[in-house]
Amino acid sequence: MKTCWIIFLAVACLRAAGPETILLRGATVHPVTGPDIADGSVLMRDGKIAEVGVRIGVPKGARVIELKGLHIYPGMIDSATEIGLTEIEAVREMSDISDIGLFKPQLRAAAAVNPASEHIPVTRANGITSVITNPGGGIIAGQSVLMHLNGWTMEDMAVRAPVAMRLEFPQIRMPNRFGGGAETPARASAYADAKKRYEQQLRELNDFMECAQRYRQAKTAAGPDFETDLKLEAMIPVLDGKLPMLIRAEKEKTIKEAIAFADKQKVHVILERGTEAWKVAAELKAHNIPVVLPPTLRLPDEEDDPYDKPFSIPGELWKAGVKFAFASYGPGAEDNPRNLPYQAAAAVGFGLPQEEALKAVTINPAQIWGVGDELGSIEKGKCADLIVTDGDPLETRTQIKQMFIKGAPVDLENKHHLLYEKYLAK
């Protein structure tokens, strides 16, 4: 018992002490929002960036880390994941992504995240310091969380909880066995059923939003004895414009319907996936709606699409002035979050400038999620989420040498590397 108390007090003292003052010196600093700084330095104090420049004095008691020949970038942000909610996809008991019901706005992803997930260090190892973790299932799935990938508890990790309300906009979904081919009676019947389900869900969504509006009005007019409804209560920040609605809509028709829905309900929208967002880029720009893109490294979405369509969409949105961010939508076998920088790199050479690809995994997502004054670039006063590399972090050959989250050094060891070492030595 005495030993346990000693360990407890030691851990408590370490956490109370906070991050140390560290000066990173001699590297090329890439602020993202400004010009690169050759032979630059970054001073981190109390978890924040205290100074950025060429010649920074060493404060008393600061630890100096010499980084000559290396590079300092802001940590990357993955704008759509299931990290912490699922461990092994094939094991139902290890997935906490969704719950039953069509409307679950009161559910919080932050409450279900496992801070000890093996996916966290694997993702960190490639330069990702923050992620959005989304709930799923139903129509209104619940509240997403923006979190750092380091910490013992959600209180340590959360940047914004919640950061958005996730909505999977109704659409006509055809069974896979009817995909393509000539029109048949069976296909026509399946389409009729799918359309009926879609129309029913659309009515239910509009009815739910109307109930939420009436609830808000009634609560405003009522006194302290007003009876709280958890589902409708969770919608008030959305209706007040304080919490954005992350709407999953993929096809052109569905995206247009989602835009019209947002206008009618007067809610702030972030578009998720938007595989055909390029077809409505002008409307997205006019409504100031940003897009969280699907993984770039995928096959074309339609059989008549050019082979390189997934690679060219980011460049098209950039030219149209639509703000966007890349996302992995993992973890999974083909969409591992650690591949986020390569999703961005795949768009370079197909119309997207390299500096814009880097912004789409750093400052763009920070601004989209409302934390542009805290994350996404190397500027004085921002959170000290930094990575030290030996090259461009979007390049596959680049190695992440060091990482700092909220000014604290982060261990880059992870299960992938341990397995590599294990079987290399066999």
Side-chain angles (χ1 to χ4, degrees), residues 162-242:
V163 72
M165 183 69 72
R166 187 163 184 263
L167 165 65
E168 297 194 16
F169 204 81
Q171 61 179 311
I172 298 176
R173 298 181 184 274
M174 290 288 288
N176 290 336
R177 66 180 183 276
F178 293 112
E183 187 69 26
T184 65
R187 180 179 175 83
S189 176
Y191 176 81
D193 290 342
K195 185 178 181 182
K196 185 176 180 180
R197 285 193 298 272
Y198 154 76
E199 292 172 345
Q200 175 65 24
Q201 289 186 346
L202 201 56
R203 284 194 298 270
E204 291 178 354
L205 173 59
N206 284 309
D207 288 346
F208 182 81
M209 294 299 294
E210 184 177 347
C211 286
Q213 293 280 9
R214 290 179 178 176
Y215 177 87
R216 182 178 63 157
Q217 294 170 2
K219 183 177 180 180
T220 302
D225 296 331
F226 184 75
E227 186 176 349
T228 300
D229 182 303
L230 293 180
K231 285 187 177 183
L232 300 178
E233 186 74 21
M235 293 299 297
I236 290 181
V238 177
L239 300 177
D240 287 344
K242 297 177 181 178

Side-chain angles (χ1 to χ4, degrees), residues 282-293:
E283 293 173 61
L284 293 171
K285 172 64 176 176
H287 287 80
N288 195 30
I289 296 176
V291 183
V292 177
L293 289 171

Side-chain angles (χ1 to χ4, degrees), residues 298-321:
R298 68 182 195 278
L299 294 173
D301 301 294
E302 300 292 337
E303 60 182 15
D304 294 328
D305 284 347
Y307 79 93
D308 60 353
K309 193 61 191 179
F311 308 131
S312 65
I313 291 173
E316 293 178 45
L317 292 180
W318 170 70
K319 290 175 184 176

Side-chain angles (χ1 to χ4, degrees), residues 413 415-426:
E413 190 60 276
K415 192 168 187 177
H416 282 192
H417 181 256
L418 292 173
L419 289 173
Y420 167 78
E421 293 289 346
K422 175 181 178 179
Y423 290 105
L424 184 67
K426 185 177 179 181

